[in-house]
Amino acid sequence: MSAVFGSNVLAGKAAYITGGSSGIGFGIAQTFIAQGARVAIQGRNREKLDQAVDALGESALGCAADVRNYEATAAALAGASQKFGAIDILVCGAAGNFPAPVLGMSANGFKAVVDIDLLGTFNTCRAAFEHLRKPGASVISISATHAFQPYAHQAHVCAAKAGVDMLTRVLALEWGGYGVRLNIISPGPVDETEGMKRLAPTEESRRQVMEGVPLKRFAAISEIAGLALFLASDAAAYMTGAVCVIDGGASLAGYRRLGE
Ligand code: COA
């Protein structure tokens, strides 16, 4: 990434990442730290969080809280801000998923995913606002192409991510005047993530997913993190409210099977 951006692009910046213990959130934390930022990660599993902080090193701070709980998330953000000062970069990355048809999903199963993805993004942004650097903060929501493309067995995620995109774009309207930018990263299939392990658990299902991607492969987590670095940097200073699709062209082909 430094070949594209130079080094220490985020020197002196403070970032806060929900869902930062694993997958895309953890990859973004690694990239931001490599570029000079201090990074707080929020996760609900204390053990996973501690392991992630150990792996990230001394520039990392762990905040144990469930994004579904507004008070706990607000307290975690206040603690990080007390330690780091104003938050320059906020990444809403906490997400939940399991493949199931609507008829195999209870109301509580649907709600669990909507609460983590959509309510969690609302809670994080709403509670973070007072701690964001104004002007200058960059907020990034990690969405998915589910937001605009229906997938069978993914009703909860499709509904939640559509909400995440619209919420983020409304906030871009409301917070632009404070000098706060909000953008959306919309990944397709990303390798080595919990979500992909659930949606494509076998070699055959992985092959089927890749077949539907024009670039014929999964994304690497580092490629999603590279886009987050761009959106967090001054190079994206005039971007707000943008949906940045990074899916190897997968959504160009329209409907395809996923998680069936
Ligand atoms: N099929 C159908 N229903 C399922 C399910 C599955 N595979 N997995 C969970 N559920 C249902 C549960 O039965 C429960 O509904 P019920 O109370 O009516 O029985 C509901 O979902 C909540 O499950 P629970 O395990 O209590 O919720 P949780 O808050 O602990 O976990 C999930 C949330 C369900 C999203 C869980 O998969 C999770 O923690 N995911 C985080 C990691 C992840 O998904 N990463 C990928 C991100 S893309």
Side-chain angles (χ1 to χ4, degrees):
M1 209 54 61
S2 56
V4 180
F5 280 98
S7 56
N8 271 343
V9 168
L10 302 181
K13 305 251 181 187
Y16 191 97
I17 304 174
T18 68
S21 301
S22 62
I24 292 172
F26 182 74
I28 292 174
Q30 283 179 309
T31 296
F32 284 4
I33 287 172
Q35 291 290 340
R38 288 167 302 159
V39 175
I41 57 173
Q42 179 178 326
R44 67 185 148 123
N45 180 322
R46 182 86 247 184
E47 204 183 322
K48 254 177 83 177
L49 192 63
D50 289 345
Q51 281 173 7
V53 169
D54 280 351
L56 290 169
E58 58 188 20
S59 297
L61 176 71
C63 305
D66 189 325
V67 289
R68 290 173 285 191
N69 182 328
Y70 184 83
E71 282 72 28
T73 299
L77 276 155
S81 171
Q82 209 166 26
K83 186 124 194 216
F84 287 172
I87 296 170
D88 300 284
I89 308 157
L90 177 69
V91 179
C92 302
N97 196 356
F98 56 82
V102 168
L103 296 181
M105 188 186 292
S106 69
N108 198 39
F110 184 85
K111 181 176 184 301
V113 170
V114 171
D115 280 358
I116 297 170
D117 291 23
L118 177 53
L119 181 64
T121 299
F122 173 86
N123 286 346
T124 305
C125 290
R126 177 72 181 82
F129 181 77
E130 66 177 290
H131 306 294
L132 294 179
R133 187 172 306 284
K134 296 182 275 296
S138 169
V139 180
I140 300 166
S141 295
I142 307 299
S143 184
T145 53
H146 295 62
F148 54 86
Q149 178 160 21
Y151 295 102
H153 295 193
Q154 290 283 274
H156 44 6
V157 179
C158 290
K161 294 301 195 186
V164 166
D165 282 16
M166 196 48 94
L167 169 65
T168 307
R169 294 169 70 210
V170 169
L171 288 174
L173 274 179
E174 293 191 5
W175 293 358
Y178 297 97
V180 175
R181 301 184 293 109
L182 296 99
N183 292 291
I184 297 148
I185 293 182
S186 200
V190 183
D191 218 355
E192 304 290 329
T193 58
E194 178 65 28
M196 253 311 121
K197 283 176 196 155
R198 288 171 187 232
L199 295 176
T202 63
E203 272 311 312
E204 177 54 20
S205 54
R206 283 173 58 81
R207 198 192 56 71
Q208 278 177 10
V209 170
M210 276 188 266
E211 195 48 43
V213 180
L215 292 184
K216 300 297 172 201
R217 65 173 179 86
F218 288 81
I221 287 174
S222 61
E223 292 174 306
I224 311 302
L227 178 54
L229 176 60
F230 167 70
L231 290 172
S233 76
D234 292 342
Y238 199 58
M239 277 183 76
T240 195
V243 181
C244 303
V245 176
I246 174 165
D247 69 346
S251 58
L252 298 173
Y255 171 82
R256 82 194 146 80
R257 293 158 70 98
L258 218 172
E260 287 183 66

